[in-house]
Amino acid sequence: MREIDPKIEISWKHALKDEFNSEYFYELKSFLVEEKNKHVIYPPGSEIFSAFDNTPFEEVKVVIIGQDPYHGQGQAHGLCFSVPDGIKAPPSLVNIFKEIKNDLGIEIPDTANLEKWAQQGVLLLNATLTVRANQAGSHQNKGWENFTDSVIKKLSESRSGLVFLLWGNFAKAKQQLIDQKKHYVLQAAHPSPFSAYNGFFGCKHFSKTNEILNKLGKKEIDWSL
């Protein structure tokens, strides 16, 4: 088996070296090479690991877990819930902005690019890091979930005092990977229009996160964009 040398931020490359040298990751890479030969894949290859490149391992303070990249043209850029500048905010992100306004009084921004959060220590992690164009969930169960579960476990084991925001049943299932004696887990409904009124609106996760960070002596997140 050939060693895989991914283009990913150096602290993550070190932290996840066992994953990159594993059989499942080799199979995942082979699958992606084959997919790219036949289909359009999102996000672009250089942005698959954007969440890691923007938020080095030791700088993570908050983890937000999404499920899949957006599958529309120009939307996915490697950060969960986020879209690049100039792309309209998808419905779930609009609801996230509404909750931030209700919670903290921050006006809904013109941009839907969350890189500013990522650069302050918010790891915006999708469970699956790629998708076939216009086919939601098309790269699920190909190996990415093994990889991102390992990311969560590695953070849980090696760091302390992280805040995990788990929105919706898919994200809530990840709590079993987190040592809740060392970390903080906040749960709510998913911000999707189908569920936001069932417990996402009013969750106040953004102010609660900053209260925890403040208590730990860490710099709070500026949730404005």
Side-chain angles (χ1 to χ4, degrees), residues 23-33 142-144:
E23 182 68 35
Y24 85 81
F25 202 88
Y26 180 76
E27 291 171 4
L28 171 61
K29 184 173 184 187
S30 299
F31 164 75
L32 291 173
V33 169
K142 303 297 184 184
W144 277 130

Side-chain angles (χ1 to χ4, degrees), residues 24-25 28 32 43 48-49 51-52 63-70 78-81 123-131 137 139-152 165-167 169-174 177 190:
Y24 85 81
F25 202 88
L28 171 61
L32 291 173
I48 289 172
F49 293 122
F52 306 94
V63 182
I64 298 177
I65 297 173
Q67 191 162 2
D68 255 22
Y70 298 121
L79 306 175
C80 74
F81 293 107
L123 182 67
L124 296 166
L125 180 68
N126 274 319
T128 303
L129 298 188
T130 55
V131 70
H139 286 185
Q140 291 177 4
N141 304 314
K142 303 297 184 184
W144 277 130
E145 294 89 346
N146 292 0
F147 177 73
T148 53
D149 280 359
S150 294
V151 169
I152 296 166
L165 305 184
L166 307 183
W167 299 333
N169 291 335
F170 178 86
K172 288 175 186 176
K174 303 295 183 184
L177 306 171
H190 195 277

Side-chain angles (χ1 to χ4, degrees), residues 34-138:
E34 198 173 311
E35 278 283 282
K36 282 182 181 175
N37 287 335
K38 299 177 185 172
H39 307 282
V40 175
I41 304 303
Y42 299 137
S46 62
E47 296 182 339
I48 289 172
F49 293 122
S50 280
F52 306 94
D53 295 337
N54 277 282
T55 316
F57 186 78
E58 292 297 335
E59 293 177 22
V60 176
K61 296 194 283 191
V62 181
V63 182
I64 298 177
I65 297 173
Q67 191 162 2
D68 255 22
Y70 298 121
H71 55 85
Q73 184 177 357
Q75 290 183 303
H77 68 145
L79 306 175
C80 74
F81 293 107
S82 178
V83 292
D85 289 324
I87 302 292
K88 183 182 175 187
S92 291
L93 185 53
V94 170
N95 286 338
I96 289 170
F97 291 150
K98 285 179 181 175
E99 175 58 22
I100 290 172
K101 183 176 181 183
N102 291 334
D103 186 10
L104 295 168
I106 294 170
E107 289 301 320
I108 293 173
D110 295 329
T111 181
N113 184 339
L114 305 182
E115 283 179 357
K116 183 180 171 188
W117 296 359
Q119 289 161 4
Q120 296 177 79
V122 182
L123 182 67
L124 296 166
L125 180 68
N126 274 319
T128 303
L129 298 188
T130 55
V131 70
R132 192 185 294 175
N134 306 315
Q135 294 188 38
S138 48

